[in-house]
Amino acid sequence: MTRIVIVGGGTGGTVLANRLVENLEHEVDAGEVEVTLVNDSPDHVYKPTYLYVPFGKKTAEDAVRPLADLVDRRVDLEINRVLDIDTDGETIELQDGHDKLSYDHLVLATGAKLVPEEVPGLVEGGHHFYGREGAEQLRDALADFDGGHLVLSVVGVPHMCPAAPVEFTLMADEWFRQRGIRDEVEITYTYPIMRLHGLEPVSDWMEPRFAERDINTETFFNAEAVDPEAGVVRSMEGEALDYDLLVAIPPHAGDDLVADSGLGDDGWVAVDRYTLEADHAENVYAMGDAADVPTSKAGSVAHYEADVIADRIASEVRGQPPTATFDGKTVCFIEAGMDEATFIEFDYEHSPAMRDESRPVHWAKLAYNETYWLTARGLL
Amino acid sequence: MSEQLTADVTIDSRGAGCPGPLMDLIGKVKTADSGTVFELQTSDRGSVTDVPEWVEKAGHELVETVEHDDYWSIYVQKS
């Protein structure tokens, strides 16, 4: 019996579990292979939905489906929390009901978490849209906001969904225009490095659009403290910005399990960028936000990585040398307002080529968000 | 580099593209004590101009940039 254990039921882990039982159908049906997906919640969350919640275009409930509805019945779904990973003994320790779970192949898809507390005052003084509670609170704050200074500050890099801060800023601009209060609102976007986005073509695309829409920009702005009483965000570079509504992309971190098990610093698993095999342990892969690869932390990355890891593990199970590799392929939609969008595609070797935004791409993004549930099932 | 100079913290960002090395440096500087010397190892050519630009803006000191065969070491001291 070969035991494959996946930790994490987000996009990467869910697609991978479904791909594995499909690729290894005969072995699974014959009882020679067991695929276990461990997740600490019975729910699967499609996080891109949260971008639309502050503007009342989606509800937080739209982001959630039961994981049991998304995984193939041949996947052993274990709703449990992993307390420890022993990569020498090839076991994981679970919180409830098991001694230890042994594995022949382990895949870590433990994602990224928000750590706004790393910036003093940010929890009290800032909003975000990277989770249910944050997105709903921001929706209420935006509904009450009838004028003043909105600051969108990218505080944490790397962060989930590289397009989201760009999208939020452009959507907020149009949303205020539609409500007839744009003249009462000043918008400022801040970014930690010398341009507006980590990807230079995206930055070049943003510059004229932000200028046209009268959106202020601050580069080399690394927020290090927020004073909620005074309504001021201060940067490491000595700048101070007054705000009436602060929306931050909070600092992110990987799961503590990763650092505790010696697999990588800061919770990101050190992996070979092509094979996705862990640098510091045998028979361990990592994927999605948890893997430290030089591309974006985006759902599309997790999806493409799932195909690669499923192929590699299937080859290993069959005693064949694994040959599938990940080329860094990343695809992101970018909303350019409330009814137009563009998209970018890039990999380790190729920068994205920018296209003008259009209505059909906006509708394609919304359509993809609906068909995502088929993607998670491994059908698309 | 000068013989006396030793880094308190070495950040190996070789293999990462822009803005990875600069962000790695910013992240470490954020939590370090004043006076800490960093050696940022980067194979991204853009870092050689981007990092000094940030260091100047943030008021730290660019100590030295050393070119090796296939990477650069950029020494920065936190003010």
Side-chain angles (χ1 to χ4, degrees), chain A residues 119 155-158 191-195 197-199 218-224 236-239 251 265-266 273 294, chain B residues 14-19 22-31 46 49-55 57-60 78:
Chain A
V119 176
V155 179
V157 176
Y191 202 69
I193 62 168
M194 59 285 174
R195 54 176 182 258
H197 198 271
L199 296 164
E218 292 276 345
T219 54
F220 278 142
F221 190 98
N222 287 278
E224 68 172 359
M236 284 173 76
E237 292 79 13
E239 308 281 344
D265 298 331
D266 303 325
R273 69 175 70 176
Chain B
R14 289 173 292 180
C18 178
L22 175 56
M23 288 312 304
D24 290 345
L25 176 68
I26 291 172
K28 298 290 183 190
V29 169
K30 196 177 249 183
T31 55
T49 50
D50 299 344
V51 171
E53 204 180 326
W54 176 73
V55 168
K57 166 99 177 171
H60 304 301
K78 179 169 180 176

Side-chain angles (χ1 to χ4, degrees), chain A residues 17-38:
Chain A
N18 287 325
R19 285 276 199 273
L20 277 169
V21 293
E22 186 185 315
N23 286 13
L24 292 165
E25 185 177 13
H26 300 299
E27 290 84 351
V28 170
D29 289 346
E32 296 162 9
V33 169
E34 190 176 84
V35 177
T36 301
L37 176 62
V38 186

Side-chain angles (χ1 to χ4, degrees), chain A residues 351-373:
Chain A
S351 293
M354 299 307 298
R355 303 164 178 85
D356 285 342
E357 57 273 32
S358 69
R359 279 172 175 256
V361 178
H362 166 71
W363 290 110
K365 176 169 186 178
L366 295 187
Y368 178 78
N369 287 349
E370 295 303 319
T371 56
Y372 167 76
W373 303 106

Side-chain angles (χ1 to χ4, degrees), chain A residues 159-351:
Chain A
H159 60 78
M160 292 179 272
C161 190
V166 184
E167 296 180 288
F168 180 86
T169 306
L170 291 169
M171 290 167 76
D173 165 75
E174 188 159 350
W175 195 72
F176 291 134
R177 288 179 199 279
Q178 288 174 351
R179 299 182 70 211
I181 59 168
R182 182 62 179 90
D183 289 344
E184 314 302 320
V185 179
E186 184 180 4
I187 302 177
T188 300
Y189 168 96
T190 82
Y191 202 69
I193 62 168
M194 59 285 174
R195 54 176 182 258
L196 299 181
H197 198 271
L199 296 164
E200 198 164 355
V202 175
S203 179
D204 292 345
W205 178 89
M206 290 167 67
E207 269 184 38
R209 286 162 177 81
F210 276 40
E212 251 169 44
R213 299 173 202 202
D214 205 18
I215 297 167
N216 309 322
T217 58
E218 292 276 345
T219 54
F220 278 142
F221 190 98
N222 287 278
E224 68 172 359
V226 176
D227 182 343
E229 296 295 318
V232 177
V233 52
R234 299 181 199 285
S235 77
M236 284 173 76
E237 292 79 13
E239 308 281 344
L241 272 177
D242 293 335
Y243 69 84
D244 297 296
L245 181 61
L246 174 64
V247 182
I249 309 302
H252 286 43
D255 200 285
D256 294 340
L257 268 179
V258 173
D260 293 347
S261 53
L263 289 167
D265 298 331
D266 303 325
W268 315 123
V269 184
V271 294
D272 180 289
R273 69 175 70 176
Y274 301 107
T275 66
L276 305 171
E277 292 168 337
D279 288 346
H280 303 307
E282 297 291 318
N283 300 317
V284 178
Y285 286 92
M287 65 187 310
D289 296 347
D292 191 5
V293 293
T295 188
S296 301
K297 295 194 181 303
S300 61
V301 172
H303 183 182
Y304 296 125
E305 288 174 337
D307 291 342
V308 171
I309 295 176
D311 274 9
R312 292 187 68 86
I313 292 179
S315 295
E316 291 175 82
V317 167
R318 295 183 184 124
Q320 301 160 356
T323 55
T325 53
F326 179 58
D327 63 2
K329 186 175 180 185
T330 310
V331 177
C332 298
F333 285 103
I334 305 175
E335 294 281 17
M338 298 309 281
D339 62 1
E340 288 191 321
T342 184
F343 73 100
I344 51 173
E345 188 174 347
F346 54 101
D347 59 35
Y348 292 146
E349 304 298 329
H350 303 94
S351 293

